[in-house]
Amino acid sequence: MTKLSAKARARLASLAISLSFWLGGVSLVAIKCVAYFMSGSELIKASVFESLGDVMSSAILAVTQMRVRDQSDMHLYPTGKKRFTPLGILFFSAFAVSTMISLIIENIEKLFGPEPQKTPIFSSKCAFLQSVEQCFSPRSSEEEERRELLTRLFDEQPRLRQHLGSTQLEEMIESYVEEEAAAEAAPHSLVVLLFICILIKAFLLIFCLYAARQADSEIARTVSMDHRNDILGNGLVLLIVAGSAYCRSTGQGGDWLDKVDPASSMLLAVYVLVCWMSTANEQLRVLSDKRAEEEHTEAVVKFTQERLANSGFALTKASTFHVGEGYAVILDLTAKESVKMSATEIAVFLEGLEQAVKSADLEAMEVHAKLRTLNKSNSSDSMAWVTEYR
């Protein structure tokens, strides 16, 4: 297999991310909004917010990364802009958590509150779509049969008409027939829309896996895992919607069937809530200057020791802390007795070490190298005078 060039790999990874955003994010939100408009299903409403969260988090990442790459105002941010992305995600996390809590409360009221007046779940949302469809398509034989059956019933049982005139009776029959037709047509359209969402995600999963393998892109591999999880989630939504529609069409089930939609919506909202709370906790962790993981500190120590080899200086302690998406590094050094350097030379050496750590693949946004000397009491004193020359 021919190995791609660096430019081709970067272009392939960028294409995978762009397709994931526009095709797997924005288009799915639009499709699910249409599905919610058709059905009014609380489950699909929760699924819309789940997809919207993916789109918004991707948009926040794109905008903040653009701000981070902007070098025109770096003098205003001496320690870098790595806090922008966590702050943006934390802001949207608060919105997503509050929205999911509202959705959970709403579904709890529907599950345990007073029984609402039962109406066909698809009839009100599909009235507009049904009227448009009737303008361009002839009436089906099933609709004609329903109309004839209702007309014959009222003709044979005049008392059912009560005080309704002929015009009012015709309007009532017409309205009932249209609602029944819409209620039957909507579940099929809904299943088709949800199936299209799964097909889109499946295509993106295959493409991102291909991009991850060909371009050796870790971000494409991460995005492919997100597509895989979305396929499972959307498949579960499709299964519940299709199962509920089948039970209604065959007359199976009972009052419990009306609880399936709010119950499944509540469970999905709880799942999304937990995910966003975990994300918010992660962003708070990186924004609080928490001590970095041992793996990162060990990598810094290894790089610094290799850099200090045969230099006359030794690393006594290394501390790393989170600074947004990057890290702050503090290095404590001691000089060997054989070192004969002036203060200026020491200052230049420390500055070079700091720049080397920043340039290494350690995500270090700020580095502070401090030179210490051991006195007779074996305590460590900082050679602060060196900073005068830096």
Side-chain angles (χ1 to χ4, degrees):
M1 185 171 58
T2 306
K3 187 175 179 63
L4 298 177
S5 64
K7 183 179 292 186
R9 292 198 301 271
R11 188 164 51 246
L12 184 60
S14 177
L15 179 60
I17 297 170
S18 298
L19 285 176
S20 297
F21 177 76
W22 292 107
L23 188 60
V26 176
S27 66
L28 253 66
V29 170
I31 293 173
K32 290 182 179 181
C33 283
V34 172
Y36 174 66
F37 173 77
M38 292 175 58
S39 65
S41 170
E42 293 296 327
L43 176 59
I44 297 179
K45 180 180 179 181
S47 184
V48 169
F49 279 110
E50 181 188 19
S51 297
L52 183 62
D54 292 338
V55 172
M56 290 302 298
S57 58
S58 298
I60 289 171
L61 285 172
V63 172
T64 53
Q65 288 299 320
M66 181 176 63
R67 291 283 289 119
V68 168
R69 288 192 295 267
D70 182 12
Q71 300 294 319
S72 61
D73 57 353
M74 282 300 293
H75 62 285
L76 301 175
Y77 303 91
T79 60
K81 306 177 181 179
K82 288 294 186 177
R83 296 186 191 272
F84 283 2
T85 301
L87 283 172
I89 296 177
L90 183 62
F91 174 80
F92 184 76
S93 296
F95 165 77
V97 168
S98 63
T99 302
M100 289 301 104
I101 291 176
S102 300
L103 192 58
I104 291 171
I105 294 174
E106 181 181 338
N107 284 294
I108 290 177
E109 291 177 349
K110 290 184 179 181
L111 283 171
F112 304 104
E115 193 72 20
Q117 184 180 0
K118 292 185 179 182
T119 56
I121 186 174
F122 299 104
S123 60
S124 59
K125 295 292 181 180
C126 293
F128 172 75
L129 298 177
Q130 183 71 7
S131 62
V132 172
E133 182 180 352
Q134 289 178 350
C135 292
F136 298 96
S137 61
R139 291 176 175 173
S140 64
S141 58
E142 292 183 358
E143 293 180 28
E144 292 295 340
E145 290 177 1
R146 291 194 190 97
R147 189 173 289 100
E148 291 177 1
L149 180 61
L150 289 173
T151 302
R152 187 166 62 251
L153 176 63
F154 283 110
D155 288 341
E156 294 175 357
Q157 302 291 334
R159 286 180 297 180
L160 296 176
R161 303 177 60 160
Q162 295 183 354
H163 303 291
L164 294 176
S166 300
T167 304
Q168 294 175 319
L169 184 61
E170 286 293 330
E171 291 177 353
M172 185 180 70
I173 293 175
E174 187 72 23
S175 175
Y176 177 80
V177 171
E178 289 177 0
E179 287 189 356
E180 286 296 315
E184 291 180 1
H188 299 88
S189 302
L190 200 59
V191 169
V192 170
L193 289 176
L194 293 175
F195 187 69
I196 290 174
C197 292
I198 294 176
L199 287 180
I200 292 174
K201 283 293 184 179
F203 164 75
L204 291 173
L205 172 62
I206 296 172
F207 184 80
C208 287
L209 287 175
Y210 169 78
R213 185 173 62 255
Q214 294 291 327
D216 193 22
S217 172
E218 190 62 33
I219 189 170
R221 189 173 293 107
T222 302
V223 171
S224 68
M225 294 174 60
D226 182 62
H227 292 322
R228 182 197 61 189
N229 295 335
D230 286 343
I231 289 174
L232 296 176
N234 290 327
L236 183 60
V237 172
L238 175 60
L239 182 63
I240 294 174
V241 170
S244 299
Y246 174 77
C247 291
R248 292 181 188 279
S249 63
T250 56
Q252 300 178 15
D255 293 338
W256 64 269
L257 192 58
D258 295 327
K259 304 294 185 180
V260 171
D261 185 70
S264 54
S265 173
M266 184 181 68
L267 292 176
L268 180 58
V270 169
Y271 169 74
V272 176
L273 173 67
V274 171
C275 290
W276 278 109
M277 288 186 67
S278 175
T279 301
N281 182 64
E282 178 69 17
Q283 305 314 309
L284 286 173
R285 183 179 66 83
V286 301
L287 286 170
S288 61
D289 290 353
K290 183 180 178 181
R291 188 176 296 276
E293 296 75 12
E294 288 295 329
E295 294 79 4
H296 186 268
T297 304
E298 291 173 0
V300 171
V301 170
K302 181 180 179 181
F303 176 84
T304 306
Q305 289 177 341
E306 292 176 353
R307 184 78 181 182
L308 294 176
N310 303 320
S311 66
F313 294 89
L315 176 67
T316 58
K317 183 181 179 181
S319 303
T320 56
F321 306 89
H322 285 280
V323 181
E325 288 190 312
Y327 296 91
V329 178
I330 300 177
L331 303 173
D332 288 348
L333 308 178
T334 55
K336 299 177 182 179
E337 295 182 358
S338 58
V339 174
K340 304 296 181 182
M341 298 174 65
S342 66
T344 303
E345 292 173 333
I346 293 176
V348 171
F349 175 81
L350 295 180
E351 185 174 359
L353 177 62
E354 292 176 352
Q355 292 300 323
V357 175
K358 282 185 180 181
S359 302
D361 189 20
L362 298 171
E363 301 181 75
M365 297 305 301
E366 53 178 301
V367 182
H368 303 285
K370 299 179 180 180
L371 183 61
R372 299 180 181 274
T373 180
L374 296 177
N375 58 22
K376 295 181 180 179
S377 62
N378 221 16
S379 63
S380 180
D381 293 331
S382 176
M383 297 181 66
W385 51 269
V386 175
T387 60
E388 297 178 5
Y389 297 90
R390 303 177 62 189

